[in-house]
Amino acid sequence: MFFRRAGPSYFTATLAKTPRQTISRALRECHAFGRKRIMDVIVIGGGIGGIATAYQLHAAGHRVCVIERHATVAQGATYGHGGPMLPSPLDVWFGPTFMGTRRANKTGIVFKPGFDTATRDFAKKLALLRDPDAFAAQYARLRPLVDLSRRMIGEIEAAFDLDYEQRTGVLHVFRRERELEQAAPAIELLKRFDVPHRVLTPEECIAAEPSVPGDPPFAGGVLLTDERTANCPLFTKQLKQILEERGVEFRLGREAASIRLDGSRAAVELMPLDSALNGAREVELIAADAIVVAAGIGTPGLLGRVNAKLPLHPLRLHTLTAPIAYEEHAPHITVVDSIKRIAMTRVNQRLRVAGGAVLQSEAKTVRPLGAGLVDRVIALLGQGTHDWIPGAAKVSAARTWEGLRLLSPDGLPVVGATDHARVFVNAAHGPAGWGLACGSAKVVADLVSGLTPDIPADTLAALRIDRF
Ligand SMILES: Cc1cc2nc3c(=O)[nH]c(=O)nc-3n(C[C@H](O)[C@H](O)[C@H](O)COP(=O)(O)OP(=O)(O)OC[C@H]3O[C@@H](n4cnc5c(N)ncnc54)[C@H](O)[C@@H]3O)c2cc1C
């Protein structure tokens, strides 16, 4: 047990109905030991964001406890990843090729803001990044985090020799000439950042991936020769196993109800176990030297007492996982409908198709989608496979899944310190956070340790929570 084994700077208390004085005492005791080099750190969230953060904190020598409301890790957005690990300029969910119109059959995104001004404003802000200069400047800010993430994933692979269904090669395809032209600023960025790639004619696309049909005709593609896809939940679970064996404590099936702040001190209030069953009113308070919130969609709620309301918006995304139908039609590299942001990745004898985003008001997004909308987005994904890799998968036998991601209005994640000295954040990676979360985990671990992260100051500033 994390706290039983831990040194005196941890404090865990069971709080009765009127916990105010007890909380203050708990926090005072925790604080009395002051900040020290080896710290006790609580990470809220057992997705790739939380587990990668726990890994980096543990590697930095800290004692770590992960709190996750599900019975195991990788059950949130991490479960539904599409495959591509790190976002190239073609993969980010902003820029000239993203949401050019409101028509879902053109953009791959169902945009239904209704009368909700917040959702409309959010979409307008993202649309500002369709300007090629604004897009280039924003991707340039993100790029060092992509590079850092690549290094961190490489170090983990080298240390543990993990097999998590990695594959190399991602082919972005474009139906119309105009769409390929829209992608020109992204292709420029591929050159500028030395991302290995080849701009291909339709014939060259078919040679690179024979499952792509030449009829109906299409404009061409971009092959990212070195970019990889892999199984994010499998990686997350393997990392969790490694951490558990090394003494990181996991409190699974426990929900962080809130973060309690008292002056310079912070603690996490855990929901009672089985409270719904026995009506228990006791909550458990655990304090540590630092708290990292990596709670995916749950992040803004937990940070409510730390930072002003964040302008992050939930986005619903879908996956289809279908058995391979005909081996000769199955793709060997990942094929991405670049404009519709639909990724089709082969995983052993299955095909995983991810995308089908629905952007609605926050209130509607957190409620289940109506059957009509579900059918519409699943049809979008099915159409993606029909268009680009027909006959590859038995779509009629597919399993569907949906998950929520937080997206920021400037397309970048929220990573780093918060308004409270002991509270940090690693969240809002949008639909491209599988690999990025590994680099931002290192940024957060450095900040918790009082070190300067190994990314330029303008990137760090562009990720800050108070940038909005
Ligand atoms: C369908 C889909 C496809 C995607 N495809 C790709 C892709 O191809 N490439 C890519 O890079 N990214 C992709 N993404 C995005 C990527 O999966 C996410 O960016 C990433 O998984 C985010 O991880 P996370 O840890 O921040 O969030 P999550 O995985 O959601 O983890 C947050 C965790 O916190 C827990 N939690 C929340 N609140 C509390 C609380 N109060 N107490 C305790 N626990 C709590 C949740 O239960 C959850 O397990 C995709 C996402 C989806 C949904």
Side-chain angles (χ1 to χ4, degrees):
M1 284 284 288
F2 184 61
F3 293 100
R4 219 181 283 146
R5 198 195 52 232
S9 69
Y10 294 113
F11 189 92
T12 176
T14 300
L15 302 173
K17 206 171 161 190
T18 50
R20 216 176 163 68
Q21 287 174 323
T22 323
I23 291 168
S24 296
R25 200 178 63 243
L27 294 170
R28 263 200 311 280
E29 282 189 37
C30 159
H31 187 57
F33 294 93
R35 219 175 157 110
K36 56 182 196 266
R37 220 177 62 78
I38 296 177
M39 285 183 269
D40 301 321
V41 189
I42 295 169
V43 177
I44 307 176
I48 181 63
I51 300 302
T53 306
Y55 175 84
Q56 293 296 345
L57 287 165
H58 178 264
H62 301 302
R63 288 184 293 253
V64 186
C65 171
V66 178
I67 296 167
E68 166 55 51
R69 65 153 69 104
H70 289 290
T72 184
V73 299
Q75 299 300 294
T78 298
Y79 185 83
H81 76 104
M85 289 173 82
L86 288 166
S88 79
L90 290 166
D91 296 290
V92 286
W93 284 53
F94 60 85
T97 62
F98 182 66
M99 264 183 91
T101 77
R102 289 188 166 202
R103 292 165 59 195
N105 61 348
K106 293 258 189 289
T107 63
I109 292 156
V110 177
F111 180 51
K112 287 181 82 70
F115 294 112
D116 189 58
T117 345
T119 311
R120 288 169 183 274
D121 288 349
F122 180 84
K124 271 187 206 152
K125 285 195 184 123
L126 260 184
L128 295 177
L129 292 166
R130 289 179 48 75
D131 171 70
D133 292 337
F135 166 62
Q138 191 69 333
Y139 187 79
R141 289 182 200 104
L142 179 68
R143 186 68 203 179
L145 185 63
V146 175
D147 294 334
L148 176 66
S149 302
R150 203 184 302 280
R151 287 205 304 281
M152 292 305 111
I153 294 168
E155 282 182 14
I156 292 171
E157 283 182 326
F160 303 107
D161 192 24
L162 302 181
D163 175 357
Y164 51 102
E165 300 176 343
Q166 303 97 313
R167 275 174 180 261
T168 303
V170 175
L171 177 65
H172 279 257
V173 282
F174 299 82
R175 179 65 61 194
R176 295 175 188 82
E177 285 297 337
R178 196 172 51 80
E179 294 170 349
L180 199 47
E181 282 160 19
Q182 280 173 351
I187 296 170
E188 273 307 307
L189 287 174
L190 292 173
K191 290 182 201 146
R192 175 172 154 196
F193 291 107
D194 292 327
V195 181
H197 71 282
R198 284 162 49 208
V199 180
L200 303 180
T201 61
E203 294 72 29
E204 289 168 333
C205 287
I206 295 164
E209 179 43 74
S211 61
V212 173
D215 186 26
F218 64 102
V222 180
L223 179 62
L224 303 170
T225 46
D226 291 12
E227 290 304 326
R228 295 196 303 164
T229 54
N231 187 327
C232 183
L234 184 57
F235 177 82
T236 308
K237 286 180 180 169
Q238 290 175 350
L239 213 51
K240 184 246 177 189
Q241 186 76 26
I242 290 165
L243 290 176
E244 207 161 33
E245 284 162 8
R246 282 162 176 70
V248 168
E249 180 178 350
F250 285 85
R251 291 201 170 195
L252 301 175
R254 297 302 305 270
E255 177 161 345
S258 68
I259 294 176
R260 293 292 187 102
L261 301 170
D262 182 4
S264 64
R265 304 177 295 266
V268 174
E269 192 182 301
L270 285 185
M271 288 287 277
L273 275 173
D274 298 333
S275 57
L277 293 178
N278 58 21
R281 306 200 59 141
E282 289 185 337
V283 295
E284 187 184 359
L285 186 75
I286 52 174
D289 299 308
I291 295 168
V292 182
V293 184
I297 192 83
T299 299
L302 285 165
L303 286 177
R305 291 187 188 177
V306 184
N307 274 81
K309 186 170 166 25
L310 297 169
L312 306 173
H313 201 88
L315 184 73
R316 196 174 282 278
L317 287 160
H318 296 78
T319 58
L320 284 181
T321 306
I324 295 292
Y326 296 103
E327 189 59 40
E328 59 274 34
H329 294 307
H332 299 92
I333 54 179
T334 290
V335 177
V336 183
D337 183 321
S338 204
I339 299 292
K340 294 184 184 164
R341 300 297 198 271
I342 297 177
M344 293 156 266
T345 302
R346 180 175 185 161
V347 187
N348 297 326
Q349 287 311 307
R350 291 162 283 142
L351 183 82
R352 178 173 277 240
V353 189
V358 180
L359 182 55
Q360 291 180 293
S361 72
E362 189 170 341
K364 281 194 175 155
T365 307
V366 294
R367 290 201 297 267
L369 280 190
L373 262 186
V374 173
D375 291 348
R376 199 167 154 201
V377 285
I378 296 303
L380 274 174
L381 296 184
Q383 186 65 41
T385 65
H386 180 75
D387 287 348
W388 294 110
I389 45 171
K394 286 183 202 153
V395 175
S396 57
R399 272 190 301 113
T400 59
W401 189 87
E402 55 162 45
L404 291 177
R405 285 306 310 135
L406 274 187
L407 195 60
S408 71
D410 62 11
L412 302 192
V414 175
V415 179
T418 66
D419 284 354
H420 195 281
R422 288 184 186 272
V423 182
F424 298 81
V425 61
N426 183 6
H429 288 274
W434 161 188
L436 272 192
C438 298
S440 50
K442 175 73 168 118
V443 171
V444 170
D446 282 346
L447 290 170
V448 169
S449 308
L451 303 173
T452 306
D454 189 15
I455 50 173
D458 65 334
T459 296
L460 206 51
L463 305 175
R464 285 176 63 101
I465 198 167
D466 57 5
R467 68 182 189 266
F468 299 109

